[in-house]
Amino acid sequence: MHKAGLLDLCVRAWNSVRMASSGMTRRDPLANKVALVTASTDGGGSVVMVASIAAFSPSPGFTPYNVSKTALLGLTKTLAIELAPRNIRVNCLAPGLIKTSFSRMFWMDKEKEERMKETLQIRRLGEPEDCAGIVSFLCSEDASYITGETVVVGGGTPTRL
């Protein structure tokens, strides 16, 4: 993520909140919410795994990456069941081609970037901010009845029916 630290990412996520579920802007939608919990022994919590569109559409030559991201989909489903009694929701984000240092080989060359855009329905590559709003939503009260789900942020890349 553009060599940004976790704190910087959280700040960007907070500044990029999109209230897709209600259509209305709320003030401080994540106030008094826990977005990241480590070593906790008690249940406001919300876990968001970050997989990849490669979990649905594997890329040749990236076998370990593809398999690990597919495993996160199963882990999300399983943890959602196991943590629900503790009032902890578990969901997953599956980004498509997002302009980060990890995907640099696909977009640094303008010719490759144009070829990649042609495969996307939206015809542009994603930005980290395109994912930040979804993560913010999944951690908010607007998603209080959502657990065990994977949200694809892939510019319309076909992933499933």
Side-chain angles (χ1 to χ4, degrees):
M1 303 235 160
H2 295 311
K3 294 186 180 180
L6 181 59
L7 182 59
D8 185 40
L9 179 61
C10 291
V11 168
R12 275 196 267 157
W14 182 262
N15 290 332
S16 172
V17 174
R18 296 180 182 127
M19 297 284 91
S21 68
S22 64
M24 49 192 293
T25 303
R26 294 185 184 176
R27 187 176 183 121
D28 299 327
L30 299 180
N32 302 315
K33 302 295 174 208
V34 176
L36 175 64
V37 179
T38 59
S40 177
T41 59
D42 212 359
S46 179
V47 175
V48 179
M49 307 272 185
V50 180
S52 169
I53 203 161
F56 298 103
S57 302
S59 299
F62 292 92
T63 301
Y65 180 79
N66 299 334
V67 171
S68 69
K69 295 306 181 176
T70 303
L72 287 175
L73 304 184
L75 182 61
T76 297
K77 293 281 188 195
T78 302
L79 285 179
I81 294 166
E82 290 185 12
L83 297 177
R86 294 184 179 178
N87 200 29
I88 298 173
R89 296 177 298 105
V90 182
N91 291 292
C92 186
L93 172 72
L97 187 55
I98 307 296
K99 284 184 105 171
T100 63
S101 58
F102 178 77
S103 65
R104 178 174 279 126
M105 65 181 152
F106 295 110
W107 56 266
M108 283 300 287
D109 179 320
K110 290 299 174 192
E111 187 177 310
K112 278 186 184 178
E113 181 179 359
E114 290 305 314
R115 280 198 310 263
M116 294 305 295
K117 286 180 186 178
E118 289 175 13
T119 67
L120 304 172
Q121 292 176 11
I122 292 183
R123 301 283 189 247
R124 71 173 178 86
L125 303 185
E127 297 287 340
E129 293 78 13
D130 292 320
C131 296
I134 298 299
V135 172
S136 183
F137 165 71
L138 290 172
C139 293
S140 75
E141 278 300 308
D142 286 336
S144 67
Y145 201 58
I146 300 173
T147 193
E149 295 299 326
T150 297
V151 178
V152 176
V153 179
T157 302
T159 55
R160 55 187 174 220
L161 291 177

